[in-house]
Structure formats: structure tokens, C-alpha cells
């Protein structure tokens, strides 16, 4: 909820002294002489560290001392929009703001209207803000509003604001162009823009973290995250990106190590969720379940994280031969009014594990209708069939996917492995050869167990030919 630029302030002597003063006063049970803005900064700091309850507590303490103070009211409104998704309570805090000429007032009101889908009101609020805020804040209004528009999927409107930035070589313009390109699916273009930013300021840790999150080649993403850590080894997001990169490369031991470091720097449930996923992939469902229950106990505010915990618990319980418990979490998700194609994927996979193929197909079909990316949804269903040993069904789906999109590279290794299980030797060798050429990371992750541990993917086809007796 804060800007990356605040990271430098959070390291300053002034902020560290204010934080110490606040925490000492809390321990002593007394009052605190800090201003409302200083307390709002502390709330932002706690939120960035993942301590959502602490953050909300500081902001509520601030408005108990300063009922009309803008910054803590804005923080609480944004908290209820982004974390609790309680728009009614968020608006109550917005309506208490008395300084209606402040930039913060207009940006939180714009965010509220975007979150509630009232785009015309958001646009009108921006126009009104231009007439009422100080001229020196006009660039910040453009930047803040543009990023909000990107966040809420209004890319065309955001681009119009981006083009109002006069200095086309400025870091603000380049980073916003990168965001625009990323939103439009042009990751290569986005990375090119961020590389220009990094050339201007190579020791800016936030830019390395940002480029790491965009890089689709997992090894490149890991390298950028490692650069960020080399600059500042106290950046939680850098360890998360590093863990995510290793996780996608199926190196769960290294991913777990990175997530452990993330957890030590971030006081929230997300680290437990991520570590649980590693243990699940390492086939330690007991440890995964234990960590998810810890995460569930911590998660009192963030609905998005709570939904992820329920989804993961359903998956873990399904794989642990506890379908009744798995469906308890499916039902909790439905009570949370969570309804999308992913829930159908989870439910269908649990039914496959119970050998209820017809029911699973019905659930998958409903999910297909809900999905916004039909091709990716079919791929996930095919993977589920493969994981539950329905090899013929998986093979037919993978074939359909590659017939629809012959240039696709994700999933080639899965198609190869299903051909192998079905005894289709010629097709196995064909798709194995393409997989190691086009997507070696996936080939190693999916097919690695079939080959010697020390063998590199590019040697798989020749080894397979010898093993199968092919010339």
C-alpha cells in the first residue's frame, strides 16, 4: 500500500527513532507524542513487513488521537479496500476526511470508485482533483492515478495519463511504460524499459526486484533477485521472487530456503503458505498441512490469503486421501463467494483422486465455461488427468492444446511423458526432442526422474533412443 520510495525513509534515522519511540510507549502502556503523519508512516511500515493487524492498530491509535487527520484515515480506507474488501467501511473512513483539497483524499476516492467499478465517478474525481490540489502535486496525481488504473485493468485510460508526463526519458515515464507493456503481455518490451531505468540507477534495489518479477525465464528472474539481495539483503520481496523462480524450476529445496528467509523478514502468513507449497511438491503432505494450519491461524485480515489457504488445504487434504475434509474447504470457499475456474480445477482434481471420473468431467466443464483463458484452463485439466494417472485422457487433451496452438512450448514435456506411459515410442522421442530444445527447464522438472540425475536435458533424447533401442 506504500510506494517503493518509502523504503529509503524506513531506513532513515528519523524513522527508526520514531518507530522505537512508538514501540517503547506501547510496551510501557503510555501515550506517544508522535504526529498523525509519523504514526501513519509506522502503519505503512508494519503493513510492508506483513504485520497487517499491527498496521491497522497503529492507524486506529492515530485517529483516536487525531480524529480528523488525513493520513491515518486514508491508510484505513485503503486497508479496507485492498485487504478486507469491505468497501462500505472504507467509504466511512473516506467520508471522515476534512481536508478535501489534499492529494491523498482524491487518490483514495479514485481508488474507491475503481474498486467498486464506478469508473465514471473515478474519472470525474480526477478532473475535480486537478482543479483543487496544489500545482506542485499535479505530477503525483497523474502517477498515482495511472498506477491505480493499471491495477484495476483500465490500461487504455492509464496510458492516456502516462503520455501527459513531459519528460519521456524520466524514470517515472520509463517505469510506467514498462507497466503498460507488461499489462499488454509484452514482457520483453517491459524488461527493455526497466533495463534503461537500471542503467540510470544500477544500485536501486526496487528496480531489480521489479525486473525479476517480470522475467519469464526463471534463471534470469533468479539472477535479478540475487542482484537485489546483494544490494540489500533485508528485502523480503527479493527473497520471494528468488523463491518463486526456484519453485518454477522445481528446485524446491532452494525455493524453501528463499521462502524461509522471506518469512524471517515478513511477519505474515504468506511465508507459511509458500513453504507449505514446497513441502507439498516434495511429497511431505503432513508438513504442508501443518504450515497451512499455522497460516490459517495467523490470517485474520487478508481475505485473499485466506482464500489461498483454503484452496491449498483442499488440495493437500485431497492428496492425503481425506476427501471429506477437502470438500469442507471447498464449501468454505463457496461461502466466501469465491467462484472461478480455479475452484473447479481443485474440485475436479479431488474427484479424480476419488475415481469419480464422470463427476470430475462435469465440474471441469463448468470451470471451462467460467475460465477467461480457455487454453490455459485445458492445460491445467490435462495436468490433473496426468497427475491422477488418467494417461489417455491427458494425452488427448495435450494433443488438442497443441493442435490449437502449434507454437506453444509450455506443456511439451507433459505431452512427451504421457506418450511414454502409453507406449507411443516414436511420439515420445519426437516431443522429448522438441521439449528439451524449446523448454529445457520444464523438461528437467517433468522428465528428470526418467534420466540420470547428473544428465542435462539436451542429452535426454540420445539417452532415450539408446534405452528404447532406437537408431
Amino acid at each position: 500500500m506504500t510506494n517503493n520510495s518509502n523504503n529509503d525513509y524506513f531506513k532513515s534515522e528519523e524513522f527508526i527513532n520514531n518507530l522505537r519511540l512508538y514501540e517503547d510507549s506501547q510496551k510501557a502502556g503510555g501515550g506517544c507524542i508522535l504526529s498523525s503523519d509519523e504514526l501513519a508512516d509506522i502503519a505503512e511500515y508494519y503493513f510492508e513487513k506483513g504485520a497487517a493487524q499491527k498496521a491497522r492498530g497503529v492507524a486506529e491509535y492515530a485517529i483516536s488521537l487525531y480524529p480528523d487527520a488525513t493520513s491515518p484515515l486514508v491508510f484505513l480506507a485503503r486497508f479496507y479496500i485492498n485487504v478486507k474488501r469491505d468497501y462500505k467501511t472504507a467509504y466511512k473512513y473516506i467520508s471522515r476526511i476534512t481536508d478535501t483539497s489534499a492529494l491523498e483524499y482524491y487518490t483514495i476516492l479514485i481508488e474507491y470508485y475503481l474498486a467498486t467499478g464506478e469508473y465514471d465517478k473515478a474519472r470525474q474525481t480526477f478532473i475535480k482533483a486537478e482543479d483543487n490540489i496544489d500545482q506542485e502535486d499535479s505530477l503525483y496525481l497523474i502517477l498515482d492515478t495511472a498506477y491505480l488504473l493499471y491495477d484495476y485493468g483500465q490500461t487504455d485510460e492509464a496510458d492516456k495519463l502516462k503520455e501527459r508526463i513531459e519528460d519521456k526519458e524520466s524514470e517515472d515515464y520509463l517505469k510506467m511504460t514498462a507497466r503498460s507493456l507488461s499489462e499488454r503481455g509484452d514482457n520483453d518490451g517491459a524488461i527493455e524499459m526497466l533495463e534503461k531505468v537500471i542503467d540510470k540507477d544500477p544500485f536501486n534495489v526496487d528496480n531489480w526486484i521489479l525486473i525479476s518479477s517480470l522475467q519469464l525465464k526463471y534463471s534470469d528472474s533468479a539472477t535479478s533477485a540475487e542482484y537485489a539481495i546483494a544490494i540489500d539483503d533485508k528485502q523480503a520481496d527479493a527473497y520471494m521472487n528468488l523463491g518463486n523462480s526456484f519453485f518454477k524450476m522445481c528446485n524446491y529445496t532452494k525455493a524453501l530456503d528463499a521462502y524461509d528467509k522471506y518469512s524471517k523478514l515478513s511477519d505474515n502468513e504468506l511465508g507459511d503458505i509458500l513453504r507449505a507449497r514446497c513441502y507439498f511438491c516434495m511429497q511431505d503432505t503432513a508438513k504442508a498441512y501443518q504450515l497451512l494450519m499455522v497460516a490459517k491461524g495467523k490470517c485474520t485480515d487478508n481475505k485473499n490469503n485466506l482464500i489461498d489457504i483454503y484452496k491449498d488445504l483442499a488440495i493437500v487434504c485431497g492428496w492425503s486421501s481425506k476427501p471429506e475434509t477437502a470438500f469442507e474447504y471447498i464449501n468454505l470457499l463457496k461461502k466466501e463467494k469465491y467462484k472461478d475456474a480455479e475452484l473447479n480445477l481443485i474440485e475436479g482434481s479431488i474427484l479424480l483422486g476419488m475415481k469419480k471420473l464422470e463427476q470430475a468431467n462435469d465440474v471441469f466443464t463448468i470451470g471451462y465455461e467460467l475460465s477467461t483463458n480457455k487454453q490455459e484452463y485445458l492445460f491445467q485439466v490435462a495436468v490433473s488427468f496426468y497427475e491422477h494417472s488418467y494417461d489417455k485422457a491427458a494425452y488427448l487433451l495435450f494433443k488438442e492444446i497443441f493442435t490449437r496452438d502449434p507454437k506453444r512450448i509450455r506443456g511439451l514435456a507433459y505431452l512427451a511423458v504421457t506418450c511414454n506411459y502409453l507406449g507411443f515410442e516414436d511420439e515420445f522421442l519426437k516431443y522429448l526432442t522438441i521439449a528439451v530444445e524449446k523448454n529445457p527447464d520444464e523438461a528437467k522438472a517433468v522428465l528428470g526422474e526418467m534420466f540420470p540425475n547428473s544428465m542435462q536435458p539436451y542429452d535426454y533424447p540420445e539417452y532415450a533412443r539408446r534405452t528404447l533401442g532406437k537408431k
Side-chain angles (χ1 to χ4, degrees):
M1 286 174 19
T2 188
N3 293 323
N4 286 335
S5 58
N6 278 357
N7 286 337
D8 291 336
Y9 176 65
F10 290 155
K11 297 173 190 172
S12 70
E13 185 177 352
E14 177 188 357
F15 177 78
I16 291 168
N17 287 337
N18 288 342
L19 180 63
R20 186 181 299 117
L21 182 63
Y22 171 77
E23 291 183 338
D24 287 347
S25 70
Q26 290 296 108
K27 289 175 186 174
C32 185
I33 61 171
L34 294 172
S35 70
S36 61
D37 286 342
E38 289 168 332
L39 288 169
D41 287 336
I42 292 170
E44 291 278 11
Y45 169 78
Y46 281 140
F47 188 84
E48 288 300 299
K49 295 285 286 182
Q53 282 181 286
K54 273 187 180 181
R56 183 177 62 172
V58 177
E60 289 172 344
Y61 174 67
I63 60 172
S64 73
L65 299 177
Y66 311 101
D68 298 327
T70 300
S71 293
L73 288 170
V74 167
F75 177 89
L76 285 166
R78 189 163 290 123
F79 179 90
Y80 277 93
I81 290 170
N82 291 296
V83 177
K84 302 290 276 185
R85 290 187 290 177
D86 180 349
Y87 305 124
K88 186 176 180 180
T89 302
Y91 192 76
K92 285 181 181 178
Y93 284 113
I94 294 171
S95 64
R96 288 176 59 180
I97 298 171
T98 56
D99 184 2
T100 56
S101 64
L103 172 65
E104 286 181 293
Y105 167 73
Y106 286 106
T107 54
I108 189 58
L109 193 55
I110 289 167
E111 182 165 5
Y112 169 80
Y113 286 133
L114 290 173
T116 54
E118 299 174 90
Y119 302 124
D120 285 340
K121 286 186 178 180
R123 192 176 296 110
Q124 291 162 15
T125 302
F126 176 82
I127 294 169
K128 187 176 179 181
E130 287 194 293
D131 294 334
N132 286 279
I133 64 169
D134 293 337
Q135 188 62 32
E136 62 195 40
D137 285 335
S138 59
L139 175 60
Y140 297 109
L141 174 66
I142 289 171
L143 294 172
D144 290 348
T145 305
Y147 278 118
L148 286 171
L149 287 165
Y150 286 126
D151 288 344
Y152 287 92
Q154 302 299 300
T155 304
D156 290 341
E157 292 297 316
D159 282 350
K160 290 176 186 176
L161 287 184
K162 172 176 72 74
E163 291 309 315
R164 290 177 57 180
I165 300 172
E166 293 180 5
D167 185 355
K168 306 302 185 192
E169 294 300 317
S170 67
E171 182 172 328
D172 288 328
Y173 182 81
L174 293 173
K175 288 177 78 169
M176 195 167 285
T177 301
R179 176 64 185 273
S180 174
L181 291 166
S182 175
E183 291 295 327
R184 296 180 184 281
D186 184 359
N187 271 54
D188 290 340
I191 290 166
E192 185 179 338
M193 287 296 112
L194 287 175
E195 285 171 346
K196 290 182 180 180
V197 175
I198 288 172
D199 286 343
K200 292 172 179 283
D201 187 3
F203 296 103
N204 185 312
V205 67
D206 296 319
N207 292 333
W208 282 110
I209 292 172
L210 185 55
I211 200 170
S212 171
S213 67
L214 290 175
Q215 288 167 315
L216 297 178
K217 189 174 180 182
Y218 309 141
S219 56
D220 288 348
S221 176
T223 299
S224 294
E226 286 167 342
Y227 275 127
I229 292 164
I231 296 167
D232 182 355
D233 64 359
K234 297 294 188 290
Q235 289 291 324
D237 287 347
Y239 288 107
M240 180 188 285
N241 285 359
L242 184 63
N244 290 345
S245 299
F246 283 127
F247 187 90
K248 289 169 185 173
M249 289 188 278
C250 299
N251 190 333
Y252 303 119
T253 302
K254 285 190 175 182
L256 188 59
D257 180 62
Y259 291 146
D260 281 340
K261 289 171 182 172
Y262 168 82
S263 296
K264 289 172 184 174
L265 292 167
S266 187
D267 182 21
N268 69 8
E269 63 276 2
L270 185 55
D272 298 306
I273 297 170
L274 295 170
R275 289 188 294 157
R277 289 174 183 171
C278 288
Y279 280 112
F280 176 74
C281 291
M282 296 162 76
Q283 301 182 2
D284 189 343
T285 53
K287 185 67 175 177
Y289 180 82
Q290 179 187 354
L291 279 167
L292 287 170
M293 294 306 289
V294 170
K296 182 169 171 282
K298 289 181 182 178
C299 188
T300 57
D301 282 310
N302 195 315
K303 271 201 170 187
N304 293 328
N305 283 353
L306 186 63
I307 284 169
D308 281 344
I309 291 165
Y310 287 161
K311 287 191 294 187
D312 287 2
L313 279 167
I315 293 167
V316 169
C317 290
W319 276 98
S320 303
S321 300
K322 299 175 183 176
E324 297 83 4
T325 308
F327 274 104
E328 286 177 15
Y329 289 110
I330 293 288
N331 290 331
L332 282 172
L333 286 164
K334 291 177 180 177
K335 284 182 182 177
E336 288 286 341
K337 297 182 179 177
Y338 177 79
K339 182 182 179 182
D340 75 356
E342 188 179 4
L343 182 57
N344 290 83
L345 276 173
I346 295 169
E347 186 174 355
S349 295
I350 294 168
L351 289 166
L352 284 182
M354 297 168 70
K355 307 299 182 187
K356 296 184 177 182
L357 179 59
E358 188 174 342
Q359 287 178 253
N361 278 327
D362 290 341
V363 171
F364 285 142
T365 300
I366 295 168
Y368 182 79
E369 296 303 319
L370 289 172
S371 66
T372 55
N373 186 337
K374 308 293 188 190
Q375 191 79 340
E376 185 58 28
Y377 182 83
L378 279 182
F379 172 69
Q380 294 297 337
V381 172
V383 170
S384 186
F385 277 122
Y386 160 71
E387 289 175 337
H388 289 90
S389 301
Y390 287 92
D391 296 321
K392 189 63 180 288
Y395 167 79
L396 292 172
L397 264 183
F398 285 130
K399 288 284 283 187
E400 172 66 19
I401 290 163
F402 285 100
T403 299
R404 292 186 185 187
D405 182 8
K407 294 181 180 179
R408 181 185 176 94
I409 62 170
R410 189 175 178 215
L412 284 165
Y414 285 100
L415 180 52
V417 77
T418 53
C419 289
N420 181 61
Y421 287 145
L422 292 168
F424 302 161
E425 294 183 359
D426 290 336
E427 278 194 274
F428 167 59
L429 288 171
K430 172 186 172 182
Y431 291 115
L432 172 64
T433 303
I434 299 171
V436 298
E437 178 189 347
K438 301 289 188 183
N439 197 344
D441 287 339
E442 183 188 74
K444 189 170 183 64
V446 176
L447 300 160
E449 289 184 357
M450 298 169 58
F451 301 93
N453 287 334
S454 59
M455 184 174 287
Q456 293 302 309
Y458 55 77
D459 287 327
Y460 289 177
E462 181 58 33
Y463 180 89
R465 286 187 188 95
R466 292 199 310 268
T467 304
L468 295 171
K470 298 289 181 181
K471 292 183 182 179

